[in-house]
Amino acid sequence: MTDRIHAQLAFLTEVDKLKTVLRGTTLCDSSRRENSGEHSWHIALYAMVMAEHAVKPVDISRVIKMLLIHDIVEIDAGDNPIHGDHDPAEMAAIEQVAAARIFGLLPDDQAQAFRALWDEFEAAETDDAVFAKSIDRVQPVVSNLETNGGTWPEYNVTAEQLQTRVGVKVQRGAPAIWDALKRRIDTWFGQ
Amino acid sequence: MTDRIHAQLAFLTEVDKLKTVLRGTTLCDSSRRENSGEHSWHIALYAMVMAEHAVKPVDISRVIKMLLIHDIVEIDAGDNPIHGDHDPAEMAAIEQVAAARIFGLLPDDQAQAFRALWDEFEAAETDDAVFAKSIDRVQPVVSNLETNGGTWPEYNVTAEQLQTRVGVKVQRGAPAIWDALKRRIDTWFGQ
């Protein structure tokens, strides 16, 4: 049992590094870049509050667990802003290696269960994963709206890009939330 | 529905401030103080990984939800390190007011449900709350062990104080975890 606990603690200590991975958005007070650890907390709470708006019923417990682990691969792979410039296939390959290494620190049964949950999130096919992906896209939009566009100008984001890269994904899992944000988004982009 | 979503977003934007509340412990790389947002993510993940060590069976979904919201009152009340110097009764009163204000931003049904969950955590009587409280105490101990005692010297913590203020609470909900940490703790304190 002690060996098992020490393996679990090794994983939990390793993932502390997620608090040092910086994202493309800032805090809502613009004071600094957000890190992927605090982002993961925030969107788990977003999911807990917003579950009723899922386009299909979800198991919110599974969604929250997915969101708690969804960014852990960034410890090795870094964060790739949705409006940034990176090769998706290359990133996916790097993230696969990261998932094997980091989830592999856990006892075997948990390594497999966590990896399966992360794979489900990445595949974005189940109702739980589709909603989780939607929520992951909502929070940065709210941060940018709260900070006068936030990092949209830095990434030269247009209204069309936001709709294509973000809106479509939010609408897939939580259309009511995108509808509620649309007026604020249109106002910011001057439409 | 739109009004409801905007109330939910007002709450979710307000709690962004938890990312600026600094705690008594540092990250595991000693680079800076940990904030209460990323701490909340980390201990929710601790609970997810460590649920099997709960002294009595828990509903891990409820435990995780408790941990996601347990520190939100710190936005108004600040963090009070367990080895710090503060009046518990005074802090409890301030946190009650904070809970009313912050959870009160949510739609009424959710405000009541979130408040009830936070009250349950604070009361530390149900099996879920006892385990959640234990996990909340484990993570700072691991951070301090990973950073050569971390902030223990700053707070003049003795082995006896750690046992009384932390050990007893971890043992109440997750004795196997405390047993696994005890040798590292004793070694650090030179016992």
Side-chain angles (χ1 to χ4, degrees):
Chain A
M1 180 55 81
T2 301
D3 285 350
R4 187 169 169 87
I5 292 176
H6 285 301
Q8 291 168 328
L9 288 173
F11 168 79
L12 289 165
T13 298
E14 177 67 18
V15 302
D16 195 77
K17 295 176 182 168
L18 197 59
K19 301 168 187 169
T20 66
V21 175
L22 298 184
R23 292 171 41 81
T25 42
T26 69
L27 302 195
C28 289
D29 67 1
S30 303
S31 60
R32 62 168 170 81
R33 294 266 169 160
E34 186 185 34
N35 71 62
S36 292
E38 61 200 3
H39 160 75
S40 297
W41 161 71
H42 207 179
I43 62 169
L45 192 54
Y46 259 77
M48 181 175 159
V49 170
M50 294 291 206
E52 65 192 88
H53 307 299
V55 70
K56 293 184 184 174
V58 291
D59 179 340
I60 188 59
S61 173
R62 294 188 78 247
V63 171
I64 289 172
K65 288 176 180 175
M66 264 182 213
L67 291 172
L68 291 176
I69 65 167
H70 83 296
D71 270 346
I72 283 175
V73 293
E74 293 181 1
I75 289 168
D76 289 350
D79 178 61
N80 292 282
I82 194 166
H83 302 295
D85 180 22
H86 62 275
D87 177 344
E90 185 183 351
M91 278 313 306
I94 293 170
E95 290 184 353
Q96 290 288 321
V97 175
R101 182 187 78 77
I102 301 168
F103 293 130
L105 295 171
L106 286 164
D108 287 347
D109 59 318
Q110 289 189 312
Q112 290 174 26
F114 279 53
R115 177 60 188 266
L117 199 61
W118 181 77
D119 286 342
E120 180 181 338
F121 175 81
E122 286 295 303
E125 289 170 359
T126 65
D127 294 341
D128 290 348
V130 167
F131 180 64
K133 284 264 182 188
S134 293
I135 288 297
D136 189 29
R137 298 303 182 202
V138 167
Q139 184 249 357
V141 173
V142 175
S143 290
N144 282 327
L145 287 171
E146 288 291 326
T147 50
N148 190 29
T151 51
W152 284 332
E154 180 181 333
Y155 290 101
N156 299 310
V157 179
T158 66
E160 292 71 27
Q161 284 172 338
L162 190 69
Q163 179 58 37
T164 308
R165 297 176 186 178
V166 180
V168 169
K169 291 178 184 178
V170 178
Q171 285 172 316
R172 188 167 168 224
I177 299 176
W178 194 249
D179 288 349
L181 289 173
K182 200 73 181 68
R183 184 177 298 180
R184 289 176 69 189
I185 292 168
D186 288 347
T187 300
W188 192 84
F189 282 101
Q191 295 189 321
Chain B
M1 180 55 78
T2 302
D3 286 350
R4 186 169 171 87
I5 292 176
H6 286 301
Q8 292 167 328
L9 289 174
F11 168 80
L12 289 165
T13 299
E14 178 66 18
V15 302
D16 195 76
K17 294 175 183 169
L18 197 59
K19 301 168 189 170
T20 66
V21 175
L22 298 184
R23 292 171 43 79
T25 41
T26 69
L27 302 194
C28 289
D29 67 0
S30 304
S31 59
R32 62 169 172 80
R33 294 267 168 159
E34 185 184 36
N35 72 62
S36 292
E38 60 200 3
H39 160 75
S40 297
W41 161 71
H42 207 177
I43 63 169
L45 191 54
Y46 259 77
M48 182 174 159
V49 170
M50 295 288 208
E52 66 192 88
H53 306 300
V55 70
K56 293 184 184 173
V58 292
D59 179 340
I60 188 58
S61 173
R62 295 189 76 248
V63 171
I64 289 172
K65 288 177 180 175
M66 265 182 211
L67 292 173
L68 291 176
I69 65 167
H70 82 295
D71 270 346
I72 283 177
V73 294
E74 293 181 1
I75 290 168
D76 289 350
D79 177 61
N80 292 281
I82 195 166
H83 302 295
D85 180 22
H86 63 275
D87 177 344
E90 185 183 350
M91 278 314 306
I94 293 170
E95 290 185 352
Q96 290 287 319
V97 175
R101 182 186 78 76
I102 301 168
F103 294 130
L105 295 170
L106 286 163
D108 286 348
D109 60 318
Q110 289 189 313
Q112 289 174 27
F114 279 51
R115 177 59 186 266
L117 200 61
W118 181 77
D119 286 342
E120 181 181 338
F121 175 82
E122 287 294 303
E125 290 170 358
T126 65
D127 293 341
D128 290 348
V130 167
F131 180 64
K133 284 264 181 187
S134 293
I135 288 297
D136 188 29
R137 298 302 182 203
V138 168
Q139 183 249 355
V141 173
V142 175
S143 290
N144 282 326
L145 288 171
E146 288 290 326
T147 51
N148 190 28
T151 52
W152 283 332
E154 181 181 335
Y155 290 101
N156 298 311
V157 179
T158 65
E160 292 70 29
Q161 283 173 339
L162 190 69
Q163 179 58 37
T164 308
R165 297 176 185 176
V166 180
V168 169
K169 291 178 185 177
V170 177
Q171 286 173 315
R172 189 171 167 221
I177 300 176
W178 194 250
D179 288 349
L181 289 173
K182 199 73 180 65
R183 184 177 301 179
R184 290 175 68 189
I185 292 167
D186 288 346
T187 299
W188 191 84
F189 283 101
Q191 295 189 320

